[in-house]
Amino acid sequence: KAGVTQTPRYLIKTRGQQVTLSCSPISGHRSVSWYQQTPGQGLQFLFEYFSETQRNKGNFPGRFSGRQFSNSRSEMNVSTLELGDSALYLCASSPLAGNQETQYFGPGTRLLVL
Amino acid sequence: QQQVKQSPQSLIVQKGGISIINCAYENTAFDYFPWYQQFPGKGPALLIAIRPDVSEKKEGRFTISFNKSAKQFSLHIMDSQPGDSATYFCAASRPGYQKVTFGTGTKLQVIP
């Protein structure tokens, strides 16, 4: 079974631009969560989607948004990029909503904002 | 109340030694306490997890000790090996929530 896939793996953007990251969950998984990982703040929860609906949201500004498609693939978008948005963005999938025990992480997308 | 505090930030252990990482939490609503292992360039991978109804869980060389009254839990890696060199995160989550609250991470280096 293929794991969680994230594209692109690396991305360089400049301040003010916007970016869209993609996550393909493990086949059969319907829940997708997004996390931001930085050296200073560690791993922080962004949001969770299940069956195309956002179930939970972390404490991030409205510039961070996401969506989930009917095939469970998810995208997250960051608008008006800031230098502090440079981070590793991780996606995790799970078969069920609210099921912490079967959450699998992808390799992440490393975003650098210049 | 959502924080999980982790220590130490970094740890160097001789091969064959015991690695110990400690975590503390405040939110008594947490009911699931996983440990994740992350290698450079990879996402975190679930290593071992425990629920508050048990005080210890062992899987191979990895053991979680859990003290509910003190709101603390720890990871012990017995017979540490160079291949265990990675960053370890403790975490906690509430029932019915996919969101996992992570500790700040411990970078473990096992030297031959």
Side-chain angles (χ1 to χ4, degrees):
Chain A
K1 214 176 202 182
V4 178
T5 305
Q6 292 188 245
T7 56
R9 291 294 310 277
Y10 304 92
L11 205 49
I12 300 175
K13 292 285 187 179
T14 56
R15 278 183 300 173
Q17 287 187 309
Q18 76 165 22
V19 66
T20 300
L21 312 181
S22 179
C23 171
S24 293
I26 292 172
S27 177
H29 285 196
R30 295 168 60 194
S31 172
V32 173
S33 298
W34 288 89
Y35 291 81
Q36 182 196 62
Q37 185 174 21
T38 60
Q41 299 298 318
L43 280 144
Q44 292 187 290
F45 173 80
L46 280 154
F47 25 65
E48 179 203 354
Y49 285 88
F50 181 79
S51 292
E52 302 177 65
T53 301
Q54 187 181 89
R55 292 188 76 243
N56 290 295
K57 189 177 191 303
N59 296 324
F60 279 82
R63 300 186 297 107
F64 292 81
S65 63
R67 59 177 176 169
Q68 187 180 33
F69 301 96
S70 58
N71 62 358
S72 295
R73 190 177 70 84
S74 177
E75 288 182 346
M76 69 162 279
N77 184 76
V78 187
S79 62
T80 320
L81 284 165
E82 300 177 0
L83 295 179
D85 296 333
S86 295
L88 179 67
Y89 289 90
L90 292 159
C91 163
S93 78
S94 177
L96 302 170
N99 188 322
Q100 322 97 322
E101 297 187 28
T102 54
Q103 185 165 225
Y104 298 89
F105 282 85
T109 293
R110 186 164 295 279
L111 171 65
L112 176 62
V113 182
L114 301 175
Chain B
Q1 267 216 327
Q2 293 297 317
Q3 281 189 322
V4 176
K5 297 181 180 179
Q6 183 172 348
S7 63
Q9 189 174 358
S10 62
L11 186 59
I12 299 175
V13 173
Q14 289 271 351
K15 178 183 175 182
I18 302 174
S19 303
I20 302 174
I21 305 170
N22 299 300
C23 285
Y25 64 98
E26 295 179 355
N27 190 345
T28 55
F30 287 144
D31 78 333
Y32 179 69
F33 300 88
W35 284 88
Y36 286 86
Q37 180 188 55
Q38 186 177 29
F39 292 103
K42 304 285 187 181
L46 179 64
L47 188 62
I48 186 173
I50 198 168
R51 291 202 180 267
D53 53 344
V54 297
S55 60
E56 186 175 283
K57 184 174 181 179
K58 185 176 180 180
E59 289 184 1
R61 296 184 294 109
F62 300 91
T63 300
I64 300 178
S65 296
F66 189 85
N67 186 330
K68 188 174 181 178
S69 60
K71 292 186 283 186
Q72 295 175 347
F73 59 111
S74 60
L75 176 70
H76 291 64
I77 305 174
M78 312 300 287
D79 187 27
S80 299
Q81 299 296 311
D84 297 331
S85 297
T87 300
Y88 293 80
F89 294 91
C90 63
S93 65
R94 294 163 54 192
Y97 281 83
Q98 198 73 31
K99 172 185 175 180
V100 176
T101 299
F102 286 87
T104 48
T106 296
K107 188 171 184 179
L108 170 66
Q109 184 181 0
V110 182
I111 55 177

